Amino acid sequence: MSAGPSSPRPSTFADGLRLAVGTLSVLPVRSPGVVDRRAAGVAMTAAPLVGALLGAIGAAVLAAALWAGVSPLPASVLAVGSLALLTRGLHLDGLADLADGLGSGRPADRALEIMKRSDIGPFGVVTLVLTLLLQVTALEEAASAGLGPVSLVTACAAGRLALTWACLPSVPPARPDGLGATVAGTVRRGAALAVTAPVLAGVTALAYGVAWRGPYAVPWWWFAPAVLIGLLAAWALRRRAVRRLGGVTGDVLGALVEVAATAALLVCAAVAG
């Protein structure tokens, strides 16, 4: 039986892709025609691809700054800052809000209220400053060894891949509404595995290309484990958030992006060193 003329059409794959780009970046894209759980599932599955694109833009900023004679530290600041601009600071805001919520020591309902406030508390400030310092200094270390661009792409892809794995059916939403409720449980495990494989292969191939073309002794086989370590760090934070809050929210998802990206970037910096 066909749907009546008044029935809304189901979302398309293109709706999901536009939702992914529009939600995770400021890149211009036409609004999705339909936003439903199917579109949300496509968006969260495609999130690592958006992450790789953002990482490529940040890598271009880094490479351009280094080519212009800027030293690795300020060049790394420019690259990390460009990523904050490209994402509207959305994930950093989520990280700060989650730090305030978990750091408050309040019951779940009160912690969620604290996270919804527009201000930022001391836990959020400290967490934000430390995270940005880690990202900038880790990227500087990688850039000094000629691995800055590939490390940034790896970290950005890892951060958004954490979103894919955070939206499995086994992860509940903490609230009945909001972004967390929209995307929670929309990604099947098979889809998460299917998108993880090309991410791991892609960062490995990219690192191998740098090793083959450049004068650097690049341990290219370490970049895929960097992604996995980023996912492990995000899993630990997600487990803590679900236990304390009862599930995930948009803020939790943003925090997972930053934690996974930072952990992956630290591994890349350790490899570069």
Side-chain angles (χ1 to χ4, degrees):
M1 177 182 296
S2 61
S6 61
S7 299
R9 70 167 177 85
S11 63
T12 64
F13 184 76
D15 288 328
L17 291 180
R18 288 196 292 266
L19 180 62
V21 176
T23 302
L24 300 176
S25 76
V26 297
L27 299 177
V29 64
R30 185 161 59 91
S31 298
V34 175
V35 177
D36 55 16
R37 287 183 62 78
R38 181 177 183 274
V42 172
M44 293 300 98
T45 304
L49 305 180
V50 179
L53 175 60
L54 294 174
I57 297 173
V61 172
L62 176 66
L66 293 172
W67 178 83
V70 179
S71 63
L73 179 57
S76 298
V77 172
L78 289 173
V80 171
S82 70
L83 289 175
L85 290 175
L86 286 168
T87 59
R88 309 180 188 90
L90 186 66
H91 310 313
L92 291 169
D93 179 67
L95 177 65
D97 287 342
L98 180 61
D100 282 333
L102 295 181
S104 69
R106 303 291 181 85
D109 56 342
R110 289 287 295 119
L112 289 170
E113 287 180 15
I114 291 172
M115 291 166 60
K116 288 185 70 174
R117 295 175 183 170
S118 58
D119 59 343
I120 179 173
F123 283 105
V125 171
V126 172
T127 301
L128 207 55
V129 170
L130 290 178
T131 299
L132 289 171
L133 283 174
L134 285 173
Q135 290 179 355
V136 168
T137 54
L139 184 57
E140 178 203 11
E141 182 77 17
S144 298
L147 299 178
V150 63
S151 297
L152 200 55
V153 173
T154 298
C156 288
R160 280 66 183 181
L161 187 57
L163 290 178
T164 305
W165 284 96
C167 294
L168 295 179
S170 58
V171 183
R175 299 190 186 101
D177 56 1
L179 178 61
T182 301
V183 302
T186 59
V187 179
R188 298 295 179 185
R189 185 172 296 274
L193 289 171
V195 76
T196 299
V199 169
L200 297 178
V203 299
T204 301
L206 188 60
Y208 180 77
V210 172
W212 182 68
R213 292 173 179 271
Y216 307 102
V218 178
W220 51 269
W221 55 86
W222 258 104
F223 283 78
V227 173
L228 297 177
I229 291 172
L231 291 181
L232 181 61
W235 171 83
L237 178 61
R238 187 187 77 205
R239 186 168 180 264
R240 172 65 174 165
V242 170
R243 284 189 169 186
R244 280 281 288 108
L245 306 175
V248 296
T249 67
D251 286 332
V252 173
L253 296 176
L256 297 180
V257 170
E258 294 298 336
V259 167
T262 303
L265 201 53
L266 286 171
V267 174
C268 293
V271 170

